[in-house]
Amino acid sequence: MEEIRDKNVMAGMEEPEVPEKPVPVLEDDDLAALLKLCKAKDFRSRRDEAMVRLFFDCGLRVAELCGIQLDHVDLDAEVIQVTGKGGKTRLIYPSAKTMRAIERYIRERGKSKHARTTKALFLSQRGAWSVDGVRDRLGVMAKQAGLDHINPHKFRHTFAHDFLISGGQERDLKRLAGWTSDTMLEVYGRSTAQQRAAHATRRLARGNRV
């Protein structure tokens, strides 16, 4: 006959620690492999380069990228307005290389038959580029580059990771990424905490100065 226990046998025992799963990010070699596919000067190559650079340079959501219109791009000021979740707008600040890629793409875009029928910055052969169209194109590019499947959100992970590792402030990242709560900020903050601590230690170590 089985003994009936009133006492919780697990009481007082510490819960096992579950190691945090690192947030997946793209390495420089991965990005270089994708950009290598965009070396031609035709419409698709110019568009794809602008798309890839905007993703990893600014951490956009795919719907935000598809929602950019021509008049949202200020080439002189090197700033772009995007619309995030809940219709909230914010400004992003692409690098000079990314802005040059966008400028080259805009010139090719002007030759498209859809250039005058839609204000969307990014076009496909059917008109404004759709969210599914962008995802499909990234899947094709990843396969051609010999990489594992890449989705747009992986670029967002990479942007946040790079920003924090480079010493960027978490509150600035929250504004740039368009987060309204601290939940995602905490996720990315934890994922880079150890590397940031290591970088800070090497930079500040007295042993390097004495």
Side-chain angles (χ1 to χ4, degrees):
M1 184 176 181
E2 294 183 357
E3 182 182 356
I4 299 176
R5 297 175 182 267
D6 294 328
K7 186 177 180 181
N8 183 356
V9 295
M10 298 298 289
M13 295 181 64
E14 294 184 0
E15 293 185 8
E17 291 187 7
V18 180
E20 293 181 4
K21 187 177 181 180
V23 176
V25 297
L26 293 162
E27 303 295 338
D28 285 355
D29 288 346
D30 300 330
L31 299 174
L34 291 172
L35 292 174
K36 189 176 181 180
L37 302 173
C38 310
K39 292 298 184 182
K41 298 180 180 180
D42 59 291
F43 169 84
R44 187 171 67 178
S45 295
R46 295 298 199 199
R47 180 201 63 187
D48 290 352
E49 181 184 5
M51 175 263 292
V52 169
R53 285 190 175 278
L54 262 179
F55 269 143
F56 75 73
D57 210 16
C58 299
L60 298 183
R61 301 178 177 95
V62 62
E64 292 172 346
L65 180 127
C66 292
I68 298 174
Q69 298 190 357
L70 271 177
D71 58 2
H72 294 165
V73 180
D74 189 330
L75 293 173
D76 293 328
E78 296 188 340
V79 64
I80 299 174
Q81 176 184 297
V82 299
T83 303
K85 290 184 177 180
K88 295 182 179 180
T89 61
R90 70 181 190 279
L91 297 179
I92 58 171
Y93 306 90
S95 65
K97 275 190 174 182
T98 296
M99 291 305 297
R100 284 198 296 271
I102 293 172
E103 184 175 11
R104 288 193 296 264
Y105 162 64
I106 288 176
R107 287 200 293 268
E108 289 301 316
R109 180 194 180 282
K111 303 173 187 177
S112 168
K113 63 181 180 181
H114 301 294
R116 292 175 179 80
T117 62
T118 178
K119 294 181 179 180
L121 173 63
F122 286 100
L123 304 178
S124 68
Q125 294 179 344
R126 300 178 180 179
W129 213 4
S130 68
V131 167
D132 288 340
V134 174
R135 289 196 177 107
D136 289 345
R137 181 60 188 152
L138 276 176
V140 170
M141 292 179 70
K143 187 174 182 180
Q144 291 175 336
L147 305 176
D148 292 335
H149 179 72
I150 294 175
N151 59 52
H153 215 67
K154 197 167 187 178
F155 288 99
R156 191 164 167 82
H157 292 172
T158 302
F159 165 73
H161 178 87
D162 289 349
F163 188 87
L164 293 174
I165 284 294
S166 299
Q169 298 299 306
E170 292 183 348
R171 293 300 162 186
D172 292 335
L173 175 59
K174 182 179 177 181
R175 179 179 293 275
L176 292 171
W179 292 322
T180 56
S181 74
D182 290 343
T183 302
M184 294 308 298
L185 189 61
E186 291 171 359
V187 170
Y188 290 109
R190 288 196 305 270
S191 74
T192 60
Q194 185 60 43
Q195 286 179 272
R196 283 185 290 160
H199 287 192
T201 299
R202 295 189 181 105
R203 184 176 68 253
L204 302 174
R206 184 180 295 274
N208 291 330
R209 305 193 302 273
V210 177

